[in-house]
Amino acid sequence: MATIMMLIMIGLLLLGFPMMVPLITGAVVGFVMMFDGFGQMGTFIQQMMGGIRPASLIAVPMFILAADIMTRGQSADRLINMVMAFIGHVKGGLAISTATSCTLFGAVSGSTQATVVAVGSPLRPKMLKAGYSDPFTLALIINASDIAFLIPPSIGMIIYGVISETSIAELFIAGVGPGLMILVMFSIYCLIYAYKNDVPTEEKATWGQRALSVRDALWPLMFPVIIVGGIYGGIFSPTEAAAVCVLYAFLLEFVVFRSLKLNDIYKIAKSTGLITAVVFILVAVGNGFSWIISFAQIPQAILEAVGVNEAGPVGVLVAICVAFFIACMFVDPIVVILVLTPIFAPAIESTGLDPVLVGVLITLQVAIGSATPPFGCDIFTAIAIFKRPYLEVIRGTPPFIFMLIAAAGLIIAFPDIALFLRDVAFRD
């Protein structure tokens, strides 16, 4: 049954159908084979509806809406200007500023694709003018944007937390350490690249200009303060934090900055609604698919066939990283989380692995896969936004992929990179 389901899904994907079609078709075929017909299809529909019932999922459209408002407004530009004022003049400073801006905007929006648009659009022309090659620039933008998967708020972590019943607040704080570590790794590479290619430096900003840039960026910088401070200060839950972010983004862009007008609300709401609809359809179908494969005990059969159950904690973590990395090269990250998480759940439970550590590694693999050929979703976002050919976009990605894989290895070897802040924040 599992083989037939996978062949159907792969075939429909190759024919160009949207991801939700292969997923639901494979699940329905599996259901019919398992229950000998459509007579109990209501059970499958109930499982699908149950997938979008958890209240935690309300945070997803909220963060998408907040990111959409900020992307169309001035928040991204103000953050970029502040970073440039402080490090734009050092060797490789423009590239480091790009990576740092992606990290900061990721902490504001939680969306990799929004970060590609908001940070990449203004900084790519500057980097090209400064002497950086386009393949390096594009690779830096799409890979640095993926740090948004790790820095809270992370939509990927919300989906994983709902599926695995893991604390979203703990996942959020655990992603900070790995996200900052990857930023440092990218910054070192940018510095080496700038020296190797003798990239000229930018003009050094005066302290007056720096003070002005900090003043302008104070309001956007309050987003991570609100999210992190509010959640870990016990003021509100992650879901409530998302609602507060929407209100804050609206007041910031419409009232304080006056960068948007009331007639922009329709466009923003329409964009958010379309993205949310796709996400929730995938979550619903993914939950139904996960129920089918779990009911048929397919995960146990797969793990037993490849010997993961006997591999031990480190072996299970390596297997998880490999599986999620490869899957996200071909399939939408949300779908991968929905389908593969239940498959590895028995092995995670039997080896006693910390689900928060597993969640951070899964989120990192999703981030890597999203920027990895052949079908990483951020690659196609960059192609659409910057109007560059596919081969040019992916040419500069190997060094960044290597660094991200190295980061995953470091987290497996030293779990405290992810768990230290979690343990401090949630110490009894």
Side-chain angles (χ1 to χ4, degrees):
M1 184 179 79
T3 303
I4 294 175
M5 291 170 64
M6 291 305 299
L7 287 175
I8 290 173
M9 291 176 63
I10 293 171
L12 291 174
L13 275 175
L14 292 176
L15 290 173
F17 284 91
M19 188 61 223
M20 66 186 74
V21 176
L23 196 60
I24 195 168
T25 304
V28 169
V29 170
F31 183 90
V32 171
M33 293 177 64
M34 193 163 53
F35 292 98
D36 298 323
F38 293 91
Q40 301 183 53
M41 186 57 68
T43 304
F44 178 68
I45 295 173
Q46 287 177 349
Q47 293 297 325
M48 289 178 58
M49 297 305 296
I52 56 175
R53 192 169 292 136
S56 301
L57 285 175
I58 297 174
V60 174
M62 292 292 183
F63 282 128
I64 292 173
L65 177 57
D68 206 347
I69 293 172
M70 289 180 287
T71 302
R72 295 171 186 265
Q74 295 182 4
S75 295
D77 290 337
R78 289 171 180 252
L79 290 173
I80 291 169
N81 291 338
M82 183 195 70
V83 174
M84 285 290 296
F86 281 90
I87 58 177
H89 64 281
V90 302
K91 198 70 172 178
L94 185 56
I96 296 172
S97 297
T98 300
T100 305
S101 298
C102 288
T103 303
L104 283 176
F105 194 75
V108 169
S109 68
S111 169
T112 61
Q113 291 165 311
T115 305
V116 170
V117 177
V119 178
S121 296
L123 283 182
R124 176 173 167 266
K126 291 183 179 180
M127 289 188 65
L128 295 178
K129 186 177 179 180
Y132 294 92
S133 71
D134 207 14
F136 171 83
T137 301
L138 292 168
L140 174 64
I141 291 169
I142 62 175
N143 283 278
S145 296
D146 286 336
I147 299 176
F149 263 119
L150 291 165
I151 300 289
S154 166
I155 293 174
M157 285 184 173
I158 294 172
I159 301 297
Y160 170 81
V162 171
I163 296 297
S164 64
E165 298 182 350
T166 304
S167 167
I168 294 173
E170 292 188 31
L171 288 166
F172 275 4
I173 196 69
V176 173
L180 294 178
M181 178 183 70
I182 293 169
L183 173 61
V184 171
M185 295 170 73
F186 283 5
S187 298
I188 293 172
Y189 177 64
C190 290
L191 184 65
I192 295 171
Y193 179 93
Y195 273 105
K196 182 179 178 180
N197 294 275
D198 195 25
V199 178
T201 59
E202 298 287 306
E203 183 180 348
K204 186 175 182 179
T206 66
W207 281 105
Q209 291 172 324
R210 291 174 179 175
L212 184 61
S213 69
V214 171
R215 188 197 69 181
D216 291 341
L218 278 178
W219 289 107
L221 285 172
M222 288 301 295
F223 277 100
V225 174
I226 291 172
I227 295 168
V228 177
I231 292 174
Y232 304 109
I235 301 173
F236 37 67
S237 68
T239 304
E240 292 166 340
V244 172
C245 275
V246 172
L247 176 61
Y248 187 72
F250 183 89
L251 293 175
L252 204 58
E253 300 295 352
F254 283 89
V255 179
V256 179
F257 297 159
R258 297 183 181 180
S259 57
L260 299 174
K261 299 179 180 179
L262 290 178
N263 56 10
D264 292 318
I265 294 177
Y266 173 77
K267 296 178 182 178
I268 294 171
K270 180 181 178 181
S271 172
T272 299
L274 290 172
I275 297 172
T276 301
V278 172
V279 170
F280 272 60
I281 290 172
L282 290 175
V283 171
V285 176
N287 194 69
F289 185 89
S290 299
W291 177 76
I292 293 291
I293 64 174
S294 298
F295 192 87
Q297 295 189 328
I298 293 173
Q300 292 84 343
I302 293 174
L303 295 179
E304 186 176 345
V306 298
V308 172
N309 287 328
E310 290 79 32
V314 174
V316 171
L317 288 176
V318 173
I320 288 172
C321 288
V322 172
F324 276 83
F325 171 71
I326 294 175
C328 285
M329 291 167 60
F330 300 94
V331 182
D332 184 272
I334 293 176
V335 175
V336 173
I337 294 173
L338 291 167
V339 174
L340 291 189
T341 300
I343 289 178
F344 283 99
I348 294 169
E349 185 176 354
S350 64
T351 52
L353 287 167
D354 190 324
V356 173
L357 175 63
V358 174
V360 170
L361 281 169
I362 286 176
T363 306
L364 176 55
Q365 297 311 311
V366 167
I368 301 173
S370 298
T372 302
F375 301 121
C377 62
D378 284 347
I379 293 173
F380 293 98
T381 301
I383 290 172
I385 296 300
F386 305 127
K387 295 179 172 55
R388 303 308 303 161
Y390 177 85
L391 291 178
E392 186 173 321
V393 172
I394 68 171
R395 192 181 305 159
T397 57
F400 294 97
I401 295 172
F402 175 80
M403 285 184 280
L404 288 167
I405 293 174
L410 288 172
I411 295 171
I412 293 175
F414 306 101
D416 280 346
I417 294 173
L419 299 180
F420 175 75
L421 287 178
R422 190 281 307 266
D423 293 341
V424 170
F426 291 91
R427 183 180 296 161
D428 294 332

